[in-house]
Amino acid sequence: MPKQRRPRRLSRRDFVRLSATSAAALALGQHPLGTAFAAKPGPPTRYPLFIPPTVSHLGLNLNPAPAVADLGGGRLSNVWAYNGTFPGPTILSQSGDSVVIDLQNGLMDETTIHWHGMMVPHLADGHPLQAVSPGGGYSYQFEIQQRACLNWYHPHPHMLTGEQVALGAAGVFIVRDAQEASLGLPSGAYEVPLIIRDAKLNSSGNIVYVAQGGGYLGSVGLVNGTRDAKLDVDTAIYRFRVLNGANARIFGLALGNGAPFTLIGNDGGLLPAAVQVAQVDIAPSERVDLLVDLRQAQVGNRIMLRDLRAGWNLLELVVTQQVAPSGTLPTTLFPITPLTAGPTTRNFSFDGMSRINGQVFDMNRVDFQVPFGQVERWRFTTNGNAPHPVHVHGASFQVQSRVGGRGALFPWETGWKDTVLLEDGETVEVLIRFDHHLGLYLLHCHKLEHEDMGMMANFEVV
Ligand code: C2O
Ligand code: CU
Ligand code: CU
């Protein structure tokens, strides 16, 4: 494991002290962030990528609370974090496991935990109706009845999700199974979760949240909470488990040396076959499973993971060690049975910034009912203010078509998805079947500011 900064819990007194320090630095004419904002030639200093600690779900307590985190170079920022780490601990479990995770709310506002991508009973889904008051607790209990994949957890309280996620409350949840294990994919230090997001920092270097209808867009890219990140790598194949953890920003990921990624999975686990892609566009809450082949690299090579949309250098891979070549890039993975459409089609129009089919979210209103176990066609259309990354709780879906806008489906949209991006002018059709649990679930825009403003609907699986 690389050496890690250890964010710690922050007391109210620490907050006061931190602000006093920042104020003193300003009074002395020093920027509290040192040289961070000073114009200087050449590439910025790069900081070791933070890898969140891995924990088992067994006996796990999650405690969202104010904390401080080092975003790089020893500069401390105030954040809100699960168990004092930003991002939160990586939860590791196996398909078939019974999970009990207890939330202790250390924030000053109500919160819930939603297990994004996990098929859980509605009382464990983190619905805003199950909000937990400051100081309160909640026990989330579910069985993992799904294939290997990378999911994530984050707050989902009514109208407060954007703020809590932006300030740092989020982590990944990895599910493993025997099928995936049989592939011998890169593991240990060669399997790295990358939570990519952006943030706004104030003059003291603290993450700040300002809700904007167009979506919270920060000026700094963070990978696992580290700005200008770098990772020392071997001449090996790496498996990057990527989550777009941003509130609103879409990333266009590519390698600076022009080499392709080998895309092997997305939201719902492995794709039927590996695909070489030069660029991956990933919207908020989408995941991609990317292999990067560094077997031919030389010690001293530096390869940048870039965001081509903002022109950001997110993560520099610094080849520091030659190892005996091992492993191969997989080609065929595991087949996925295509869903066949049943008689029902539903239309959902994502209107403006706050409505679905003309209605603002009301957590006490059930907007529609879906019969358990039947395949339905859901058609998502944008009616202004796109992009809208559309997300469904309680089931995965298979994307069928996209008309208007980009007018095509992309390799990372095959297989099983729980979020699909609607750009301007687009209509996207998916096939979906709820075959896990009955009860109340959510459909919403995962641009968190749209979600908080009401672009969300309750539905009931019956
Ligand atoms: Cu990741 Cu309802 O959200
Ligand atoms: Cu979700
Ligand atoms: Cu939206």
Side-chain angles (χ1 to χ4, degrees):
M1 277 301 241
K3 248 198 240 113
Q4 291 314 340
R5 61 201 161 87
R6 282 271 162 261
R8 60 185 172 83
R9 287 309 146 65
L10 192 70
S11 65
R12 184 149 199 103
R13 193 151 30 98
D14 289 330
F15 262 128
V16 174
R17 200 175 55 223
L18 266 181
S19 347
T21 311
S22 308
L26 283 172
L28 289 170
Q30 296 164 341
H31 198 282
L33 289 189
T35 55
F37 295 154
K40 58 172 180 178
T45 310
R46 303 206 72 93
Y47 306 109
L49 176 75
F50 176 60
I51 313 267
T54 298
V55 297
S56 152
H57 61 84
L58 289 171
L60 182 62
N61 288 288
L62 285 177
N63 177 211
V68 282
D70 173 1
L71 307 189
R75 298 189 291 260
L76 294 182
S77 295
N78 294 341
V79 297
W80 288 357
Y82 288 110
N83 298 7
T85 101
F86 167 60
T90 296
I91 302 172
L92 195 56
S93 59
Q94 291 280 336
S95 187
D97 283 352
S98 292
V99 173
V100 180
I101 300 176
D102 290 322
L103 161 69
Q104 259 313 117
N105 183 5
L107 300 173
M108 319 66 153
D109 291 311
E110 63 177 27
T111 194
T112 70
I113 304 178
H114 171 56
W115 314 93
H116 183 127
M118 308 291 295
M119 303 305 146
V120 305
H122 73 105
L123 287 177
D125 199 44
H127 191 283
L129 283 172
Q130 275 76 50
V132 177
S133 305
Y138 195 89
S139 184
Y140 294 93
Q141 310 194 358
F142 51 92
E143 308 240 308
I144 301 179
Q145 299 167 329
Q146 62 195 92
R147 62 206 287 261
C149 58
L150 178 124
N151 290 327
W152 64 302
Y153 60 96
H154 64 76
H156 219 300
H158 190 46
M159 297 168 69
L160 296 171
T161 299
E163 179 180 30
Q164 293 184 10
V165 173
L167 292 182
V172 299
F173 195 128
I174 294 176
V175 177
R176 302 210 187 279
D177 67 12
Q179 195 181 53
E180 182 197 57
S182 73
L183 291 172
L185 293 169
S187 61
Y190 299 147
E191 181 190 18
V192 186
L194 299 180
I195 302 173
I196 301 178
R197 53 163 288 178
D198 56 350
K200 270 190 213 299
L201 303 181
N202 66 12
S203 60
S204 309
N206 296 318
I207 298 186
V208 287
Y209 183 68
V210 189
Q212 293 157 290
Y216 172 88
L217 289 176
S219 51
V220 179
L222 298 174
V223 184
N224 296 350
T226 310
R227 59 185 298 173
D228 302 316
K230 68 166 180 185
L231 178 68
D232 289 346
V233 293
D234 296 350
T235 55
I237 303 175
Y238 277 78
R239 181 182 187 192
F240 292 111
R241 316 290 308 265
V242 180
L243 160 70
N244 181 341
N247 282 38
R249 183 179 291 276
I250 300 163
F251 294 99
L253 302 178
L255 293 171
N257 64 356
F261 301 111
T262 300
L263 170 76
I264 59 168
N266 59 0
D267 306 358
L270 295 169
L271 303 179
V275 198
Q276 308 282 314
V277 284
Q279 180 178 340
V280 176
D281 290 306
I282 181 173
S285 90
E286 287 189 300
R287 285 87 74 202
V288 283
D289 200 338
L290 301 175
L291 300 181
V292 173
D293 186 358
L294 299 174
R295 288 174 300 175
Q296 306 302 322
Q298 306 291 318
V299 169
N301 287 172
R302 290 162 177 269
I303 298 142
M304 192 66 79
L305 174 66
R306 305 200 66 228
D307 165 33
L308 299 183
R309 290 185 172 228
W312 286 346
N313 290 329
L314 293 168
L315 171 68
E316 188 173 49
L317 305 173
V318 183
V319 183
T320 52
Q321 181 168 247
Q322 184 88 39
V323 295
S326 76
T328 48
L329 291 175
T331 49
T332 310
L333 302 165
F334 301 103
I336 290 175
T337 312
L339 296 175
T340 314
T344 306
T345 297
R346 296 177 200 270
N347 294 295
F348 301 99
S349 155
F350 291 76
D351 309 327
M353 297 185 288
S354 59
R355 282 161 292 122
I356 298 176
N357 290 344
Q359 290 195 295
V360 173
F361 180 63
D362 173 346
M363 68 171 144
N364 296 305
R365 183 189 70 223
V366 177
D367 294 310
F368 57 103
Q369 292 188 318
V370 184
F372 183 86
Q374 288 187 19
V375 180
E376 299 195 342
R377 184 182 299 275
W378 287 17
R379 186 180 292 133
F380 306 129
T381 310
T382 162
N383 180 19
N385 295 82
H388 303 294
V390 174
H391 170 54
V392 184
H393 290 213
S396 298
F397 51 75
Q398 296 178 353
V399 185
Q400 303 297 297
S401 62
R402 172 180 284 112
V403 286
R406 292 168 295 162
L409 298 181
F410 299 92
W412 51 89
E413 297 180 313
T414 53
W416 290 105
K417 294 280 293 166
D418 57 54
T419 305
V420 66
L421 180 61
L422 271 188
E423 286 272 24
D424 221 15
E426 293 182 357
T427 296
V428 170
E429 286 190 357
V430 307
L431 294 180
I432 191 163
R433 178 177 60 204
F434 293 84
D435 52 10
H436 286 273
H437 301 281
L438 303 178
L440 190 66
Y441 292 96
L442 294 164
L443 159 70
H444 64 90
C445 178
H446 218 288
K447 181 182 281 183
L448 297 178
E449 289 63 43
H450 289 184
E451 171 183 336
D452 282 343
M453 286 191 290
M455 188 173 270
M456 180 148 67
N458 263 331
F459 62 90
E460 197 177 5
V461 179
V462 294

